């Protein structure tokens, strides 16, 4: 039986990936600082450990064929774009990647998947909300708008250097805003779809929700199941990447909020307030993934948002029903 390691298995994408790999018949080890928040891990073995510690990284890769390296110090705009966490984001995530790739090489792992991000793309190509350029080759000359993006770019190059010099098989994806049930929905690290679902679920009919910025900034959002499909197809392919794994269905943040309201059956006003925003426009460009893998995500945003809304609304209801603070622990 093939043995897979998922680093970041207590996080949103990692916990779903563990489930997917188990379905496919892998033996799976998960490593994270924390257990998954919303359900127990499906991993055969789950190690609570800190991958900034090289001893832990060596223990994690021991006896492993395939590594999925998703562990990172990250969050939504409220975490990444305020500047307050820059040093921690760069130091922690870079240290994790340095430890994992080197331990993996020494342990003789066969393949490594690395989750990079659309945040590596230059700010100068994403100033127009209607026509952002996120083709893979547009990454250079580099000018990400956050330290999070710079660290991801450094680590992409780190994995490619290990492939070049040590023959390690690596596969690198640039994720574009992955969302779905069992993602962080409150507390400061949540991202736009979950935050909007929460605000809509909490608001009374005819009330209002707050939104950072004018809501005209654009993004695309990819449902978790399609993200995992892309990861698995990339890992089984000959293609190293980096390649975008994202949706090409671009919406404004106002449009996303209106979609959530439609799903909830509520009419609400949007109050625009100052807040951290990121780039003006961003969309996945799927020409390369289509050409290399003969596949690209295709599921409509509204379908995924519906499943996510149902899940977030249930969390909101449970939090209201429980004694103050218990559900948000
Ligand atoms: P997440 O924050 O839910 O998961 C990351 C996990 O890494 C967390 O559970 C965290 O505890 C763990 N971690 C952090 N530091 C650690 C350490 N020192 N040792 C062990 N574990 C540690 O994030 P996610 O949304 O599941 O993202 C997974 C990966 O995909 C990350 O690398 C992220 O940068 C990348 N990515 C995600 C998105 C997205 O939209 N979710 C977009 C682009 C890239």
């Amino acid at each position: 039986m093939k043995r897979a390691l998922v680093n970041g298995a207590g996080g949103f994408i990692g916990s779903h990936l563990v489930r997917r790999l188990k379905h496919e018949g892998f033996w799976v080890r998960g490593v994270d600082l924390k257990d998954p928040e919303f359900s127990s891990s499906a991993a055969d073995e789950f190690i609570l450990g800190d991958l900034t510690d090289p001893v832990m990284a060596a223990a994690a890769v021991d006896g492993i064929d395939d590594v999925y390296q998703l562990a990172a110090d990250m969050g939504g705009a409220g975490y990444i774009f305020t500047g307050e966490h820059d040093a921690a984001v760069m130091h922690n995530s870079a240290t994790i990647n340095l430890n994992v790739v080197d331990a993996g090489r020494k342990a003789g792992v066969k393949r490594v998947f690395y989750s990079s991000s659309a945040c590596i793309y230059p700010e100068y190509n994403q100033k127009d909300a209607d026509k952002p350029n996120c083709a893979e080759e547009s990454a250079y000359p580099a000018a990400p708008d956050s330290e999070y993006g710079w660290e991801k770019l450094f680590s992409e190059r780190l994995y490619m250097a290990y492939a070049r010099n040590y023959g390690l098989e690596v596969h690198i994806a640039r994720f574009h805003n992955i969302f779905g049930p069992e993602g962080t929905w409150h507390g400061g690290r949540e991202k736009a779809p979950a935050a909007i679902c929460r605000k809509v679920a909490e608001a009374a009919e005819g009330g209002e929700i707050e939104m950072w910025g004018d809501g005209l900034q654009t993004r695309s959002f990819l449902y978790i199941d399609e993200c995992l499909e892309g990861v698995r197809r990339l890992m089984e392919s000959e293609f190293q990447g980096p390649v975008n794994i994202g949706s090409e269905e671009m919406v404004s943040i106002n449009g996303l909020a209106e979609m959530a309201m439609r799903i909830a059956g509520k009419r609400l006003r949007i109050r625009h307030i100052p807040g951290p925003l990121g780039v003006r426009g961003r969309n996945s460009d799927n020409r390369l993934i289509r050409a290399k893998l003969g596949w690209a995500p295709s599921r409509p945003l509204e379908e995924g948002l519906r499943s996510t809304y149902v899940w977030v609304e249930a969390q909101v209801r449970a939090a209201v029903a429980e004694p103050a603070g218990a559900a948000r622990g």
Side-chain angles (χ1 to χ4, degrees), residues 133-306:
N133 174 10
C134 293
E136 285 81 352
E137 74 274 7
S138 72
Y140 297 96
D145 70 332
S146 65
E147 302 301 0
Y148 169 77
W150 279 105
E151 188 283 326
K152 288 287 188 195
L153 205 53
F154 162 77
S155 290
E156 283 187 3
R157 301 189 69 95
L158 173 71
Y159 286 97
M160 291 191 290
Y162 269 69
R164 195 180 312 128
N165 293 163
Y166 298 116
L168 190 66
E169 184 181 326
V170 307
H171 302 274
I172 302 169
R174 294 174 179 158
F175 290 160
H176 289 242
N177 297 315
I178 314 304
F179 77 101
E182 302 195 3
T184 305
W185 60 280
H186 63 81
R189 287 187 187 232
E190 66 276 24
K191 315 217 181 66
I196 285 175
C197 287
R198 185 195 70 229
K199 289 174 189 181
V200 170
E202 285 174 344
E205 165 65 21
E208 68 174 23
I209 60 169
E210 286 186 345
M211 182 188 289
W212 289 338
D214 60 13
L216 300 174
Q217 66 273 29
T218 53
R219 292 291 185 279
S220 71
F221 300 93
L222 183 68
Y223 193 64
I224 180 71
D225 292 1
E226 289 204 296
C227 168
L228 299 180
E229 185 65 27
V231 169
R232 288 293 298 125
R233 283 174 183 260
L234 179 61
M235 192 67 155
E236 295 304 327
S237 77
E238 310 255 287
F239 184 46
Q240 180 182 84
V243 66
N244 292 327
I245 293 189
S247 162
E248 284 181 324
E249 184 182 341
M250 191 169 76
V251 285
S252 69
I253 303 301
N254 285 333
L256 183 70
E258 278 150 21
M259 201 181 272
M261 290 179 212
R262 239 187 350 264
I263 289 166
K266 290 185 186 178
R267 263 173 313 167
L268 307 168
R269 284 183 309 280
I270 301 176
R271 189 151 60 88
H272 299 280
I273 58 168
L277 292 175
V279 294
R280 192 67 180 152
R282 174 171 293 157
N283 193 13
S284 187
D285 181 325
N286 289 347
R287 285 172 297 174
L288 186 63
I289 196 168
R290 239 180 248 117
K292 295 290 182 184
L293 304 186
W295 174 90
S298 59
R299 207 170 149 181
L301 171 61
E302 189 150 350
E303 262 181 52
L305 195 65
R306 192 172 293 279

Side-chain angles (χ1 to χ4, degrees), residues 7-15 31-36 47 49-53 56 69-75 80 92-93 96 113-119 148 151-152 173-179 182-184 189 191 222 224:
N7 292 331
F12 166 52
I13 302 173
S15 57
V31 179
D32 203 300
L33 291 171
K34 59 176 179 68
D35 286 310
I47 304 177
D50 185 345
L51 292 162
T52 62
D53 174 359
M56 176 50 64
Q69 197 333 72
L70 280 75
D73 193 354
M74 65 103 57
I80 285 172
N92 295 341
S93 296
I96 292 169
F113 169 84
Y114 173 59
S115 55
S116 182
S117 166
C119 289
Y148 169 77
E151 188 283 326
K152 288 287 188 195
R174 294 174 179 158
F175 290 160
H176 289 242
N177 297 315
I178 314 304
F179 77 101
E182 302 195 3
T184 305
R189 287 187 187 232
K191 315 217 181 66
L222 183 68
I224 180 71

